[in-house]
Amino acid sequence: SHWRPRLCLRHKYLSCAFGYYLSGNLCLACLSSCYHCADGASCVSCKAGYYLSNNQCVKCSAQCATCTSDTTCNTCAAGYYFSANNCVKCSTGCSACSGASTCSLCAAGFYLTASSCSACGTNCYTCVNNERCTACKTGYYLDSNGACVKCNSPCSACVSS
């Protein structure tokens, strides 16, 4: 695909926007992982989540949000925290943390108590504590007390008994 030029003089492109390179009179798209490229095969800089290696953008490992190599994370992906130059997975049920025992956001099916995540009660999808659900798993409905009650047979989904 081609794009409008950044600078044009008498219908000739002189430069292209980031993510495109000049080829003759056209601005053509760089490889999808390149932020800036010299041509269709050589990257100059990479988009977030990639690092530059031999003029190519290589995807960072899953635990890194940004990196400078396959072994060096600069920032960690969601669900990981930075410790001793490594990204370490947050504890079970924790989707955002700043350390091994410091959770700030819990995954579905868990609730936050004193910087850690605890599992919701049986059949809860989300909850405020172990005894009060805010949403139920499929096949259950939320009653007025915040409990998940099984739908009557043959229903597989319901809003009440």
Side-chain angles (χ1 to χ4, degrees), residues 9-134:
L9 180 64
R10 293 185 188 162
H11 304 289
K12 286 193 167 208
Y13 299 158
L14 299 178
S15 70
C16 300
F18 280 105
Y20 295 85
Y21 66 95
L22 189 61
S23 177
N25 264 352
L26 296 174
C27 287
L28 301 177
C30 296
L31 296 170
S32 63
S33 56
C34 294
Y35 178 70
H36 180 66
C37 62
D39 56 43
S42 300
C43 298
V44 175
S45 62
C46 302
K47 291 181 179 176
Y50 294 84
Y51 66 93
L52 193 61
S53 177
N54 297 322
N55 297 323
Q56 298 297 305
C57 292
V58 180
K59 190 159 182 57
C60 296
S61 59
Q63 69 268 21
C64 301
T66 60
C67 63
T68 53
S69 74
D70 61 342
T71 58
T72 308
C73 296
N74 295 343
T75 57
C76 299
Y80 292 85
Y81 66 95
F82 205 67
S83 175
N85 294 324
N86 290 306
C87 290
V88 180
K89 189 159 181 55
C90 297
S91 60
T92 301
C94 183
S95 56
C97 63
S98 57
S101 58
T102 312
C103 190
S104 56
L105 183 66
C106 298
F110 293 84
Y111 63 96
L112 191 63
T113 54
S115 298
S116 66
C117 295
S118 300
C120 293
T122 307
N123 304 316
C124 284
Y125 181 71
T126 58
C127 62
V128 291
N129 59 41
N130 192 39
E131 294 158 7
R132 187 149 184 88
C133 301
T134 52

